[in-house]
Amino acid sequence: MRRSHIFGFIALVWFLLTLTAIVYATRLALFVAPTEATMGNVQRIFYYHVPSSMLSLIFPYVNLVASIFYLVLRRRDPLRALTADALALAAAEVTVVYSSISLLTGMLWGRAVWGIWWTWDARLTSMLLLWLLYVSYLMLRKLSATGQSQTLAAVLSVFAAIDVPIVFMSIRWWRGQHPSPVFGGGADTGIDPSMMPAFGWNVLAWAMWGVFLLVFRFALERRRQASEQDAALIAIEASLEIAQ
Amino acid sequence: MSRVLNDLRQDLSRARSYFGHVFLHLQKDLRLEWRSRDSVVGMLFFALLVVIIFSLAFDPTAAISRQIAGGILWVALLFASFTALNQSWTREQRNRVLEAHRMSPASPSALFLGKALANLIFVSFVELILAPLFLIFYNLHALGEGWKMLIVMPLGTWALVCNGTFFAAMGLRTRNRELLLPLILVPISLPALMGMMQATTAILTGEFDPGLWIRLLIAYNIAFTTVCLLLFDAVLCAE
């Protein structure tokens, strides 16, 4: 009982810190950061588009690692494997949220700057595939038979992890419409130092929000698992009583 | 020295029994199909219908059909293979054969490999009959090196069939089996589909080199065949 109180307190503090960070980051992005030279105010969507794209590439790793843990542990230690499975599910859902935001903001930005909503460029295609893969992951969990869905979903997660790099490499060979990497792409790349605080704060704020969602969803899934186990136990006890 | 030789001999006999099991599964699937012929006939007619509908809808000229035929051919084969892939596992459920497979000491991946090879043979057979009809309906003659299709077709078919057999086994005990397979198979096969379509278009139009896409297909096949063989055990005994 006390432990759950402490967790609840930490969660509340984390949530309030996250809200503060989001408010501060939004102020920096919309009012403080300088207006970009060629694109004007439209460029400010960068502060939302790039952090959510970065985060939607990080959460799949959480999903993959948790899925591998599940596959390794499912015979040896089923209870701990269920924890890994809850984490995998939470990470997959957060991935879908962030990659949806990345795709939508990217489309808005593309319409304003390139004049088109969509093009089959390397990054756009691989982000769309990532989105499709994790939506199909969630569909598999919904449609597969009870008792199997965790294992099958973990297997699919391994497949998805192999698929994304292949797609990314294969479409890099086409010419790309998307700008080359803004960070770490060579001497000419990077943004003006005056834009850096707004960008950094937005990455931090949205990462904190993502972690909050992940942990919240994880806790919810753990409760669902616990109530499922209780129901199963009650059913077994009831069947024993009839037998007597 | 004699221990090393002994180990080697043991490995060799294990490999021989593994491929013996693969061959037995393949033989069994071919025999079952030979007796009923329903999945190959169904697949063939379905693919034919898709080809005809696209030809009817677009009525393409020779130049346009070269551009789009690669895509249409693979879409037709993809849709047709869904029907066969689901059936190939339904067969194992009659008389609870699948439970017997799960109890047998033979390696589960041998069952998978045998079935995937059988499906490869079925889909290749459909392609052999479909190819001339395709040339007729779309007035095609390849401007690139046509013989390269002999490399692209088996590689593309294996990419479809290997993952398809694997994912069809995933949906085996679910209510919505027919629905589940396309939902998982299409996103995963997207890079392979892109490779097949681009390579075929490159050969038909002769405008660019298909070598890159053939290499992509080879890499895709190696990666996914390995993962399928390693993880099939988990899918067969998922409870």
Side-chain angles (χ1 to χ4, degrees):
Chain A
M1 199 59 204
R2 267 186 84 185
R3 219 175 122 201
S4 73
H5 274 298
I6 295 170
F7 275 131
F9 181 68
I10 293 175
L12 188 68
V13 170
W14 181 269
F15 179 65
L16 292 175
L17 280 178
T18 306
L19 277 188
T20 321
I22 288 176
V23 168
Y24 184 59
T26 307
R27 182 178 164 267
L28 283 184
L30 294 186
F31 303 109
V32 178
T35 310
E36 207 260 352
T38 50
M39 284 184 270
N41 276 330
V42 170
Q43 181 265 348
R44 290 183 196 276
I45 204 170
F46 166 87
Y47 300 114
Y48 299 97
H49 177 67
V50 179
S52 32
S53 310
M54 284 164 68
L55 291 167
S56 67
L57 297 178
I58 291 173
F59 286 110
Y61 286 102
V62 179
N63 173 268
L64 175 68
V65 171
S67 298
I68 290 173
F69 263 99
Y70 178 81
L71 283 178
V72 173
L73 290 175
R74 76 191 171 103
R75 292 259 186 268
R76 255 177 263 163
D77 192 349
L79 282 180
R80 200 172 289 171
L82 275 181
T83 318
D85 180 64
L87 187 61
L89 174 63
E93 289 186 354
V94 177
T95 304
V96 171
V97 170
Y98 274 95
S99 53
S100 306
I101 293 174
S102 158
L103 283 172
L104 289 174
T105 53
M107 279 184 210
L108 288 175
W109 198 6
R111 175 70 188 161
V113 174
W114 300 332
I116 41 172
W117 295 103
W118 186 261
T119 173
W120 290 105
D121 156 88
R123 279 149 199 270
L124 276 72
T125 313
S126 41
M127 186 54 88
L128 180 68
L129 181 81
L130 184 77
W131 186 83
L132 284 175
L133 283 171
Y134 278 94
V135 172
S136 80
Y137 175 93
L138 295 180
M139 291 292 283
L140 174 69
R141 291 195 75 112
K142 206 173 172 60
L143 290 179
S144 55
T146 32
Q148 289 190 321
S149 57
Q150 293 96 341
T151 313
L152 298 186
V155 169
L156 186 62
S157 163
V158 175
F159 272 79
I162 300 168
D163 220 36
V164 173
I166 292 183
V167 163
F168 190 72
M169 289 316 292
S170 67
I171 36 196
R172 260 171 90 103
W173 295 324
W174 283 343
R175 51 156 192 76
Q177 174 122 23
H178 196 282
S180 50
V182 175
F183 297 102
D188 234 13
T189 58
I191 53 174
D192 192 81
S194 60
M195 293 177 174
M196 218 42 209
F199 178 71
W201 272 99
N202 268 291
V203 172
L204 180 74
W206 294 111
M208 283 169 78
W209 178 242
V211 170
F212 176 74
L213 284 182
L214 182 79
V215 175
F216 191 80
R217 185 67 185 86
F218 172 76
L220 205 63
E221 178 65 14
R222 289 297 289 164
R223 285 195 180 190
R224 197 197 57 78
Q225 284 174 353
S227 80
E228 202 175 81
Q229 282 161 5
D230 287 346
L233 212 63
I234 290 168
I236 291 172
E237 277 169 2
S239 72
L240 288 178
E241 271 167 26
I242 294 164
Q244 275 168 2
Chain B
M1 190 63 196
S2 71
R3 225 181 104 194
V4 173
L5 266 179
N6 208 15
D7 282 358
L8 205 68
R9 207 170 293 145
Q10 261 182 5
D11 285 348
L12 205 68
S13 76
R14 216 172 289 149
R16 264 171 66 191
S17 81
Y18 181 83
F19 285 106
H21 290 145
V22 172
F23 184 71
L24 274 177
H25 285 302
L26 174 63
Q27 211 180 12
K28 170 207 68 183
D29 272 315
L30 291 180
R31 188 178 298 141
L32 278 171
E33 181 59 32
W34 179 250
R35 285 180 186 159
S36 66
R37 294 189 200 88
D38 43 6
S39 76
V40 165
V41 172
M43 199 159 43
L44 189 62
F45 194 59
F46 192 89
L48 184 67
L49 287 177
V50 174
V51 166
I52 290 176
I53 284 174
F54 275 119
S55 176
L56 189 71
F58 298 118
D59 193 13
T61 61
I64 295 174
S65 60
R66 253 183 228 114
Q67 297 283 345
I68 60 171
I72 291 175
L73 175 68
W74 286 108
V75 168
L77 286 172
L78 176 73
F79 287 169
S81 57
F82 287 146
T83 60
L85 290 167
N86 273 324
Q87 273 184 20
S88 78
W89 285 108
T90 319
R91 265 178 199 159
E92 304 289 339
Q93 282 184 310
R94 267 176 234 149
N95 303 326
R96 303 205 146 247
V97 180
L98 198 69
E99 311 303 319
H101 281 313
R102 289 169 68 175
M103 281 187 285
S104 94
S107 169
S109 65
L111 168 66
F112 166 75
L113 199 57
K115 202 168 271 301
L117 286 173
N119 283 332
L120 177 71
I121 292 174
F122 302 154
V123 179
S124 305
F125 179 74
V126 170
E127 284 166 6
L128 281 181
I129 297 182
L130 203 64
L133 290 171
F134 205 71
L135 295 180
I136 293 170
F137 276 113
Y138 290 86
N139 300 315
L140 284 176
H141 76 104
L143 295 182
E145 295 153 295
W147 61 269
K148 281 193 178 161
M149 279 309 281
L150 293 178
I151 309 173
V152 175
M153 292 304 274
L155 283 176
T157 313
W158 178 253
L160 278 186
V161 155
C162 174
N163 276 350
T165 311
F166 189 86
F167 290 125
M170 264 192 174
L172 207 50
R173 282 172 288 254
T174 60
R175 280 166 296 137
N176 308 316
R177 189 188 318 125
E178 315 286 319
L179 180 63
L180 193 61
L181 177 64
L183 290 186
I184 318 173
L185 183 57
V186 174
I188 289 281
S189 318
L190 213 62
L193 283 171
M194 213 159 57
M196 300 164 208
M197 290 171 182
Q198 290 290 327
T200 312
T201 310
I203 290 168
L204 288 177
T205 58
E207 278 167 10
F208 53 101
D209 181 35
L212 195 74
W213 300 104
I214 293 176
R215 280 204 293 278
L216 165 72
L217 278 176
I218 293 174
Y220 179 94
N221 279 342
I222 292 174
F224 279 99
T225 309
T226 317
V227 186
C228 285
L229 289 175
L230 287 177
L231 289 179
F232 188 72
D233 189 22
V235 169
L236 190 68
C237 310
E239 280 91 4

